[in-house]
Every structure is written in structure tokens, then in C-alpha cells.
């Protein structure tokens, strides 16, 4: 299998997992089979916030995965979106949907720590 196909497989698998997760979160937030008890509803509401933030992460990741798949199609996948340098394969193994090399990621994806 070529590197390209290998990464495509991984991205499609990541996409599948996140799509399923989003669907599940969606169902739970909509409360199919809502409980009548007030205290239970309060804890369900807290749960919703956790679920929603999980959902938001999944959505952002899904968008990045879609972009990565498009870049694979265009043949840009292995090159940094910002500077055009080749992204080390070890980095793509860890973050298959990153569009940036390490240097640019520090600039564009600021971390808290
Ligand atoms: Zn770069």
C-alpha cells in the first residue's frame, strides 16, 4: 500500500468514528426517552454540556479530516499548507489531519501550555 493510501485509510476510519460519535451525541442531547424526575433532568443538563463540547471537538476534527482528504486528492497532503515544506511522516502518523509542519503549527495552533 502506498503512503497515500495508508493515510487515506486512516483518515476515513477517523472520519467514520467521529461521524458515529456525533450521531450518538445528537441522539443523547435530544433526549429520546426523557426522565420525569427533576434532579435527574438537572444532571442530564450537565451531561449535555459535556456531550456538546465533545461534539464540538468532533465537528472541528471532522472538518480537518475532510480537508486532509481533499488535500490527499489534490496531492498536497504531505506538504505544509503554510510554508510548503514537507511534513515529516512521523508527525502525520501522530496527527493525520494536520495541515501544518511543526514550525507552522506552533504559529497557527497555539497551545495553552
Ligand atoms: Zn510549515
Amino acid at each position: 500500500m502506498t503512503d497515500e493510501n495508508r493515510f487515506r485509510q486512516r483518515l476515513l476510519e477517523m472520519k467514520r468514528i467521529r461521524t458515529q460519535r456525533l450521531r450518538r451525541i445528537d441522539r443523547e442531547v435530544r433526549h429520546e426517552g426523557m426522565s420525569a424526575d427533576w434532579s435527574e433532568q438537572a444532571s442530564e443538563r450537565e451531561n449535555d454540556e459535556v456531550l456538546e463540547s465533545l461534539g464540538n471537538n468532533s465537528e472541528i476534527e471532522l472538518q480537518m479530516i475532510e480537508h486532509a482528504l481533499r488535500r490527499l486528492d489534490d496531492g498536497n497532503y504531505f506538504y505544509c499548507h503554510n510554508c510548503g515544506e514537507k511534513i515529516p511522516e512521523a508527525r502525520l502518523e501522530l496527527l493525520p489531519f494536520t495541515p501544518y509542519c511543526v514550525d507552522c503549527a506552533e504559529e497557527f495552533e497555539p497551545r495553552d501550555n
Side-chain angles (χ1 to χ4, degrees):
M1 205 189 281
T2 63
D3 282 347
E4 200 180 295
N5 277 335
R6 199 159 50 85
F7 282 111
R8 191 188 302 274
Q9 294 293 327
R10 274 193 70 191
L11 286 163
L12 288 172
E13 176 66 11
M14 293 174 92
K15 182 177 160 180
R16 194 179 61 78
I17 290 167
R18 278 159 187 77
T19 307
Q20 278 179 351
R21 189 191 297 161
L22 278 175
R23 245 181 248 144
R24 197 173 62 233
I25 288 168
D26 217 45
R27 263 204 307 275
E28 292 193 24
V29 170
R30 275 191 278 113
H31 293 302
E32 286 166 10
M34 197 175 357
S35 59
D37 187 85
W38 277 108
S39 63
E40 257 184 57
Q41 280 188 13
S43 73
E44 270 178 11
R45 219 164 292 138
E46 275 170 37
N47 200 19
D48 282 356
E49 280 167 28
V50 175
L51 282 172
E52 268 172 19
S53 76
L54 267 177
N56 288 339
N57 283 340
S58 294
E59 252 167 64
I60 291 164
E61 283 179 6
L62 257 182
Q63 280 174 13
M64 293 181 81
I65 292 166
E66 292 287 358
H67 282 150
L69 284 166
R70 223 168 298 148
R71 286 186 304 115
L72 261 175
D73 288 339
D74 294 343
N76 305 326
Y77 178 71
F78 295 96
Y79 301 93
C80 175
H81 185 66
N82 182 57
C83 68
E85 287 293 317
K86 204 165 190 307
I87 302 172
E89 224 166 277
R91 174 168 168 76
L92 289 170
E93 296 281 357
L94 284 174
L95 291 168
F97 47 75
T98 185
Y100 300 119
C101 69
V102 183
D103 288 343
C104 294
E106 276 172 15
E107 202 176 321
F108 287 97
E109 298 168 0
R111 296 281 143 84
D112 293 334
N113 51 7

